[in-house]
Amino acid sequence: MSEIEFIEEKWFNAVKVNKLRTGKKKMLTLGKKLVLLINSEGNYFATEALCRHMRWPLAWGAKVSDDCIRCPLHQTTHKIDDGSLVEWSPFPLFPAYGKLVGKFSKQKDLRTYPTRVLGDMIQVYIA
Ligand code: FES
């Protein structure tokens, strides 16, 4: 098997382009990974599907804005392009429960995956 064939096997069909409109997101299993696919203003991003803080499914209520995704539970926020952490568990402020709960787990970036469009299909690269 050539290296090119090996690489091609890592691209997984996610959804058809016309099934993920702008501003929408979808949780799906690709390979053995639970992935969140996001259409942000016509650009496709794929991240791990569960919040790094307490594993809440980001498809359930997370908001995408300013190139970030914000978990609805304690509002941990990551960049959607590289998954870098912006803010860790700041909510609620009063009482300072969010910060307290945030201390129970180590701060982590959100894993991201490359995407591409091939034909009418959005694909995600899972290494
Ligand atoms: S579970 Fe997502 S911020 Fe706490």
Side-chain angles (χ1 to χ4, degrees):
M1 178 183 302
S2 76
E3 188 174 331
I4 290 173
E5 287 169 332
F6 178 71
I7 289 170
E8 286 299 314
E9 287 179 2
K10 305 271 185 160
W11 286 99
F12 289 86
N13 287 333
V15 294
K16 288 190 170 185
V17 169
N18 64 5
K19 296 291 184 191
L20 191 71
R21 287 174 288 148
T22 296
K24 297 294 180 186
K25 53 191 178 310
K26 183 174 182 61
M27 182 166 58
L28 58 164
T29 302
L30 299 174
K32 292 181 177 160
K33 305 283 186 191
L34 197 55
V35 172
L36 184 71
L37 188 61
I38 302 162
N39 180 342
S40 177
E41 299 174 10
N43 298 308
Y44 301 107
F45 300 91
T47 71
E48 60 186 299
L50 305 180
C51 177
R52 290 312 306 247
H53 178 226
M54 292 176 73
R55 313 309 285 162
W56 179 263
L58 293 169
W60 300 351
K63 298 277 185 247
V64 176
S65 65
D66 299 329
D67 299 324
C68 292
I69 186 161
R70 179 177 290 262
C71 177
L73 255 58
H74 313 105
Q75 302 190 3
T76 291
T77 303
H78 293 86
K79 301 283 285 180
I80 54 172
D81 57 352
D82 64 2
S84 58
L85 178 64
V86 175
E87 197 170 19
W88 186 255
S89 186
F91 182 81
L93 294 175
F94 301 105
Y97 176 73
K99 293 277 185 210
L100 183 65
V101 168
K103 290 183 195 290
F104 293 145
S105 52
K106 190 170 173 243
Q107 296 187 15
K108 300 174 204 95
D109 292 339
L110 196 62
R111 187 169 302 130
T112 57
Y113 305 97
T115 65
R116 72 180 182 186
V117 174
L118 194 67
D120 64 347
M121 188 65 70
I122 305 166
Q123 295 185 325
V124 179
Y125 184 86
I126 306 289

